[in-house]
Amino acid sequence: ASPSFGGKNLTDLVQHVSQMLPPSDLHGIQNLQETILHDLAATRQFLGDFNVFSEEKLARVSPDMAKMAKTLKAMKADLDHIYKKTSSIRKKLKAKYPEAFEE
């Protein structure tokens, strides 16, 4: 069975449209479609190559990124601990020497 479009046979639809347009317009449309098809194929190839490149780079940097993320997490924990300790010391000093903290 032929494909249909809106209940009409596509072959009939194409023939009807081709009879409505001058041959030069049809040739121009066909050339444009071929150009677009070529551009899409080139883009597809480029994207495929880029995906392979990206996968290779990601595989190369992933171990380093994991190490860096672990280091950053440890640094954040250290800084949180330091902040809590300095806040505690500040509170004790403020209680003992309130005049030093007056604004």
Side-chain angles (χ1 to χ4, degrees), residues 15-51:
Q15 287 176 351
H16 181 70
V17 169
S18 68
Q19 292 169 357
M20 293 172 56
L21 297 172
S24 62
D25 287 353
L26 290 175
H27 185 67
I29 291 170
Q30 185 177 7
N31 285 339
L32 182 60
Q33 287 176 334
E34 288 173 2
T35 300
I36 291 170
L37 179 64
H38 177 267
D39 291 348
L40 289 174
T43 301
R44 183 176 179 268
Q45 179 65 42
F46 174 78
L47 289 174
D49 293 344
F50 182 76
N51 283 339

Side-chain angles (χ1 to χ4, degrees), residues 33-72:
Q33 287 176 334
E34 288 173 2
T35 300
I36 291 170
L37 179 64
H38 177 267
D39 291 348
L40 289 174
T43 301
R44 183 176 179 268
Q45 179 65 42
F46 174 78
L47 289 174
D49 293 344
F50 182 76
N51 283 339
V52 169
F53 170 80
S54 297
E55 287 174 7
E56 291 170 358
K57 293 295 181 185
L58 180 62
R60 191 177 312 156
V61 300
S62 284
D64 292 338
M65 293 298 288
K67 288 178 191 174
M68 289 179 199
K70 187 176 179 180
T71 300
L72 285 172

Side-chain angles (χ1 to χ4, degrees), residues 88-101:
S88 173
I89 292 170
R90 185 171 192 265
K91 284 181 186 177
K92 289 177 185 177
L93 288 172
K94 190 175 184 179
K96 191 171 184 178
Y97 306 104
E99 66 280 355
F101 290 90

Side-chain angles (χ1 to χ4, degrees), residues 77-95 101:
D78 291 345
L79 288 171
D80 287 343
H81 178 74
I82 291 168
Y83 177 79
K84 287 178 185 176
K85 284 292 190 180
T86 55
S87 292
S88 173
I89 292 170
R90 185 171 192 265
K91 284 181 186 177
K92 289 177 185 177
L93 288 172
K94 190 175 184 179
F101 290 90

